[in-house]
C-alpha cells in the first residue's frame, strides 16, 4: 500500500491552512512539511496496524498482519481454515454411538403408596455386603438409600408379606428374585 498519496494530501492541507495565515505562516508550513512526512507515515502505519488487529479479532482463527516493505506497508491475510460442511445427522450418530445407553429407570413398586413421610433407620451391614449393595446401586443408577428402599419393598411384597414364602416354616428362606438375585437365611 502506497502511503505517499496520503502524506502528499496532508502536505497540501497544511499548505492551504498556511495560506490563511500569510507569508510567514506559509514559510513555516514549508519548513515543517519535511520533518512531518516521517511522523505522518509512522502515524498512518500505527493506524493500519491497529485496524489489522481489530480485523484479526473478528476473523479469528484467521489473521491480518501489516508488514513494512521499504517505506510502504503490505497486508498479509491468513484466512481461517476451511472446515468441512457440518453434517448434523453424522454428528448425532457419532455422539450416540460414543455414549453408553443409560440404565432404565427403576420400576416402581406396584402397590407403593407414598405418604411423604420417612423414618430414619440405622442399619449395620458387614463390609462385604455394604460393598455389594453400593455396586448394585451404582449399576442401577440409584443411591444406596433408594436401592435399599427398593430391595426392602420388594422383599415385603412377597406372597406372605413378611419377606419369606408362605408355608416355608423351616426358617430357611428360599431363593427369590427381585431383579438382583439375592439368596440367604431368615429367622
Amino acid at each position: 500500500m502506497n502511503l505517499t498519496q496520503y502524506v502528499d494530501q496532508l502536505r497540501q492541507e497544511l499548505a492551504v491552512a498556511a495560506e490563511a495565515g500569510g507569508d510567514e505562516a506559509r514559510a513555516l508550513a514549508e519548513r515543517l512539511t519535511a520533518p512531518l512526512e516521517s511522523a505522518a507515515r509512522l502515524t498512518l502505519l500505527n493506524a493500519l496496524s491497529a485496524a489489522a488487529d481489530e480485523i484479526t479479532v473478528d476473523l479469528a482463527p484467521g489473521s491480518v498482519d501489516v508488514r513494512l516493505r521499504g517505506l510502504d506497508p503490505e497486508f498479509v491475510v491468513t484466512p481461517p481454515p476451511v472446515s468441512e460442511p457440518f453434517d448434523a445427522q453424522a454428528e448425532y450418530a457419532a455422539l450416540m454411538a460414543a455414549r453408553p445407553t443409560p440404565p432404565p429407570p427403576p420400576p416402581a413398586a406396584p402397590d407403593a403408596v407414598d405418604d411423604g413421610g420417612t423414618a430414619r433407620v440405622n442399619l449395620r451391614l458387614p463390609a462385604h455386603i455394604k460393598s455389594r449393595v453400593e455396586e448394585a446401586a451404582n449399576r442401577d443408577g440409584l443411591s444406596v438409600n433408594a436401592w435399599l428402599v427398593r430391595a426392602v419393598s420388594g422383599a415385603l411384597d412377597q406372597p406372605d408379606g413378611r419377606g419369606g414364602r408362605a408355608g416355608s416354616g423351616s426358617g430357611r428362606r428360599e431363593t427369590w428374585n427381585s431383579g438382583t438375585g439375592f439368596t440367604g437365611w431368615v429367622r
Side-chain angles (χ1 to χ4, degrees), residues 65-120:
D65 295 317
V66 178
R67 295 183 184 164
L68 192 58
R69 177 171 280 197
L71 294 177
D72 297 324
E74 285 184 350
F75 290 102
V76 178
V77 178
T78 306
V82 178
S83 62
E84 296 178 18
F86 181 72
D87 185 0
Q89 290 178 341
E91 185 72 19
Y92 178 76
L95 284 173
M96 295 311 290
R99 195 172 73 180
T101 57
D111 296 331
V113 177
D114 186 12
D115 62 357
T118 60
R120 179 178 291 270

Side-chain angles (χ1 to χ4, degrees):
M1 171 178 219
N2 187 356
L3 293 181
T4 302
Q5 64 182 356
Y6 302 104
V7 173
D8 287 344
Q9 184 179 354
L10 183 61
R11 183 182 298 138
Q12 289 173 354
E13 295 294 327
L14 183 60
V16 168
E19 288 290 327
D23 290 336
E24 281 185 29
R26 191 174 341 113
L28 179 62
E30 289 174 8
R31 286 192 309 259
L32 289 176
T33 54
L36 284 178
E37 182 177 342
S38 61
R41 285 183 180 273
L42 183 60
T43 301
L44 287 172
L45 185 59
N46 287 338
L48 292 173
S49 294
D53 288 342
E54 287 183 26
I55 294 169
T56 296
V57 167
D58 291 337
L59 190 62
S63 66
V64 176
D65 295 317
V66 178
R67 295 183 184 164
L68 192 58
R69 177 171 280 197
L71 294 177
D72 297 324
E74 285 184 350
F75 290 102
V76 178
V77 178
T78 306
V82 178
S83 62
E84 296 178 18
F86 181 72
D87 185 0
Q89 290 178 341
E91 185 72 19
Y92 178 76
L95 284 173
M96 295 311 290
R99 195 172 73 180
T101 57
D111 296 331
V113 177
D114 186 12
D115 62 357
T118 60
R120 179 178 291 270
V121 175
N122 290 331
L123 177 64
R124 294 176 187 241
L125 294 174
H128 70 281
I129 293 177
K130 179 182 180 281
S131 63
R132 290 178 59 197
V133 167
E134 289 170 341
E135 289 172 6
N138 190 25
R139 186 175 50 249
D140 290 348
L142 298 170
S143 67
V144 170
N145 189 62
W147 189 89
L148 286 170
V149 168
R150 189 175 75 175
V152 169
S153 295
L156 292 175
D157 288 342
Q158 293 300 309
D160 69 354
R162 298 180 305 161
R165 298 203 184 269
S168 64
S170 66
R172 176 157 197 242
R173 195 185 90 205
E174 297 178 20
T175 302
W176 61 276
N177 189 352
S178 66
T180 58
F182 283 91
T183 61
W185 292 87
V186 174
R187 288 190 183 201

